[in-house]
Amino acid sequence: MVIIHNFLEMDEIPWDAIKIVTGDIVYGGRVTDDLDRRCLMAILNCYMTPECLEKGYKFSDSGIYRIPDEFDLS
């Protein structure tokens, strides 16, 4: 998580690098099937976007899955 924190401190967030670190390195040893890995990367592509840093961003249409209001993203 230190690596991702360091990425977020950069002037421009390297989204592709964050997805690779999360998908291939953090979960890489646990996901052994190639199709499962492709599924994981597809999910990360949907949810790890610049929009997720915007206040009030919701991961689902229902709003159940969202970043808490009191969480400071700055």
Side-chain angles (χ1 to χ4, degrees):
M1 296 318 278
V2 172
I3 294 170
I4 292 175
H5 181 271
N6 290 342
F7 282 150
L8 294 175
E9 295 293 317
M10 299 173 88
D11 291 333
E12 186 174 320
I13 297 173
W15 290 102
D16 289 336
I18 291 174
K19 292 173 196 173
I20 290 170
V21 167
T22 305
D24 289 337
I25 297 173
V26 175
Y27 290 105
R30 295 172 183 86
V31 179
T32 57
D33 182 77
D34 189 50
L35 292 177
D36 289 342
R37 186 190 154 290
R38 287 176 55 194
C39 179
L40 171 63
M41 295 309 288
I43 291 168
L44 290 176
N45 283 327
C46 289
Y47 294 108
M48 292 187 118
T49 64
E51 292 80 22
C52 75
L53 297 178
E54 294 174 5
K55 189 163 183 76
Y57 180 79
K58 297 177 179 117
F59 292 102
S60 65
D61 291 335
S62 68
I64 293 173
Y65 301 102
R66 60 182 173 74
I67 296 173
D69 294 332
E70 61 275 359
F71 191 75
D72 183 17
L73 298 174
S74 57

